[in-house]
Amino acid sequence: MDAFSVSLAIGATYKELKFSRSMFMAMMFGLFQALMPLAGFFAGGFFSKYLQNAANLLAFAILSFLGIKMIYEAGKLLHTGRAGKVRADVAAIIVLAFATSIDALAAGFTITLFDASVWFAVTIIGVITFLLSIIGTELGCRAGHLFENKTEFAGGIILIALGIKILIFG
């Protein structure tokens, strides 16, 4: 759902996001959401306590920074009539994919506690995240015009809220 929310916000901000960029973003979100639990699974309980606290703080910092930047850009738009968009280039998408998947690291630790196939679990996680990201981007692109310049504010608030959620609840 974190990836869905970010995809929705980006889709709303970039009302005419190219399909190839939307697909790339969904693939990165799906890949990172699948790789992080896999990393957690292999790390097992050895590092779990230490990694979880640092990972949550890192995700909070990255998402809050990007959210504040979106809000700042939206404020520039309101005052000057023009603003630079928050980047949706390859590097920014990878950072967002990483930041929204950090909490999935803990899910990998818990997979070790169950008699479940880690490969099946990460495949399902990746595919569902991919699909939700595509849906979020499309919904954002289609509904973004309803809110006009408020979409960047909303997107920034969503990113900050996700960062706070990860920091508090893991």
Side-chain angles (χ1 to χ4, degrees):
M1 290 311 294
D2 294 350
F4 172 79
S5 299
V6 172
S7 297
L8 184 68
I10 290 175
T13 302
Y14 292 87
K15 296 172 188 94
E16 295 181 19
L17 191 65
K18 290 183 179 177
F19 184 71
S20 61
R21 185 57 45 124
S22 178
M23 287 295 289
F24 175 75
M25 187 169 58
M27 285 190 293
M28 288 297 100
F29 282 139
L31 179 66
F32 274 82
Q33 286 289 340
L35 289 179
M36 289 303 255
L38 192 60
F41 175 80
F42 287 118
F46 185 69
F47 294 110
S48 65
K49 182 178 180 182
Y50 305 106
L51 288 177
Q52 185 61 41
N53 292 334
N56 290 348
L57 188 57
L58 181 62
F60 168 73
I62 292 169
L63 291 171
S64 294
F65 172 77
L66 293 171
I68 290 167
K69 184 167 176 18
M70 281 183 88
I71 291 169
Y72 171 76
E73 293 295 337
K76 245 170 59 173
L77 175 63
L78 288 176
H79 293 297
T80 64
R82 56 188 182 145
K85 291 190 182 285
V86 172
R87 292 181 2 208
D89 60 14
V90 171
I93 288 170
I94 290 172
V95 168
L96 283 169
F98 174 74
T100 58
S101 68
I102 290 175
D103 60 335
L105 189 66
F109 300 140
T110 62
I111 293 173
T112 62
L113 304 175
F114 301 101
D115 186 26
S117 166
V118 67
W119 301 109
F120 179 74
V122 299
T123 300
I124 294 298
I125 291 168
V127 168
I128 289 174
T129 302
F130 171 81
L131 293 173
L132 286 175
S133 296
I134 289 289
I135 292 167
T137 304
E138 286 301 311
L139 283 174
C141 286
R142 293 173 193 254
H145 71 281
L146 298 173
F147 305 104
E148 292 304 320
N149 56 7
K150 295 176 184 76
T151 57
E152 284 194 59
F153 277 117
I157 290 169
I158 288 170
L159 290 179
I160 293 169
L162 287 173
I164 292 169
K165 180 202 99 128
I166 290 169
L167 183 65
I168 294 172
F169 301 110

